[in-house]
Amino acid sequence: MTEGGEAEALRPWARQVLGHEFADPALCVTALTHRSAAASHNERLEFLGDAVLNCTVAQLLYEAHPKADEGALSRLRASLVSGETLARVAAELQVGEHLRLGSGELKSGGFRRASILADALEALIGAVMVDAGFEAAAGTVRRLLGPRLAELPPADSLKDAKTRLQELLQAHALPLPAYNLVSVQGEAHSQVFLVECDVVALQLTTRGEGSSRRRAEQFAADRMLALLPATFRNRA
């Protein structure tokens, strides 16, 4: 199928899932084109879509949570625009079935990869903006993510494990935890970090592994939260 034919074939799908009728359907093709497939790929559109997404979601949350402070709104927005959430939305819309990928990505299952799906969804939002302006793109964001506002957990529960552990210990007038790097294993491109979390005042120690020191610290903190007495955890 020619690119023009492919663009026309995408029209009904885009209309149904994005709520937008493309004046230039070639934009939709570009939005679904990974850099492994062609020189004209979706990264510039992804850049635009990311900006529209963050601005529109910020407005939605501002209106939906009139009493929330900046920190709470930021955590809620981070959850709603996270790669995991966007990939899940993209999968529900069957974005993967329409992706244009290079042979390497096809063989490795790139049409199911969360990062590729999330990027393509942002690029589609960017394509709508180029095709019809900011309000049209914002309308697409509201259509796709608006219903998920009601599914968001309380903002406090979205704090990362290290932050929750720190605030919890401070609330009980205890010293902050200490994080110590125990080891780093593996080649430079696939290292595994092992970190220890110590809460000396409670004589508790946990360990966490991750692909970065930061991720390992988060896992160790999460395990520490699970070890704390129930009276502590109830305030986490």
Side-chain angles (χ1 to χ4, degrees), residues 174-208:
L174 294 175
L176 297 181
Y179 296 94
N180 302 300
L181 181 63
V182 177
S183 66
V184 182
Q185 298 180 347
E187 301 296 328
H189 65 281
S190 59
Q191 291 181 325
V192 176
F193 293 76
L194 177 63
V195 167
E196 199 167 73
C197 174
D198 292 313
V199 177
V200 178
L202 298 176
Q203 295 184 317
L204 294 173
T205 299
T206 59
R207 287 186 171 189

Side-chain angles (χ1 to χ4, degrees), residues 4-195:
E6 189 175 355
E8 287 301 319
L10 283 171
R11 273 186 185 274
W13 175 78
R15 186 188 311 120
Q16 179 182 357
V17 302
L18 303 178
H20 178 69
E21 182 76 46
F22 276 95
D24 181 5
L27 286 166
C28 191
V29 175
T30 302
L32 293 166
T33 302
H34 187 257
R35 67 179 305 159
S36 64
S40 179
H41 52 74
N42 63 6
E43 291 183 1
R44 283 171 53 82
L45 290 174
E46 177 197 340
F47 169 77
L48 276 182
D50 176 71
V52 177
L53 180 67
N54 276 279
C55 181
T56 306
V57 167
Q59 183 178 14
L60 285 171
L61 291 170
Y62 181 85
E63 294 169 352
H65 299 275
K67 295 183 179 180
D69 62 21
E70 179 187 4
L73 290 172
S74 294
R75 289 193 294 276
L76 290 169
R77 180 177 62 179
S79 175
L80 202 54
V81 303
S82 69
E84 181 182 350
T85 299
L86 296 180
R88 190 161 56 246
V89 172
E92 291 172 1
L93 300 178
Q94 299 180 322
V95 169
E97 296 182 12
H98 301 283
L99 287 172
R100 302 173 78 207
L101 303 170
S103 58
E105 288 294 347
L106 278 172
K107 290 177 182 177
S108 64
F111 59 91
R112 290 190 300 266
R113 189 168 302 147
S115 59
I116 291 178
L117 288 171
D119 291 348
L121 186 62
E122 288 184 330
L124 285 166
I125 294 167
V128 175
M129 179 175 174
V130 173
D131 193 61
F134 180 86
E135 283 305 318
T140 294
V141 173
R142 295 187 191 100
R143 176 189 179 96
L144 299 180
L145 295 180
R148 294 177 181 265
L149 290 179
E151 301 172 6
L152 287 171
D156 282 348
S157 70
L158 296 172
K159 294 180 181 178
D160 64 63
K162 286 183 65 176
T163 300
R164 286 186 288 134
L165 179 59
Q166 176 178 317
E167 291 181 352
L168 200 53
L169 294 175
Q170 288 176 325
H172 287 83
L174 294 175
L176 297 181
Y179 296 94
N180 302 300
L181 181 63
V182 177
S183 66
V184 182
Q185 298 180 347
E187 301 296 328
H189 65 281
S190 59
Q191 291 181 325
V192 176
F193 293 76
L194 177 63
V195 167

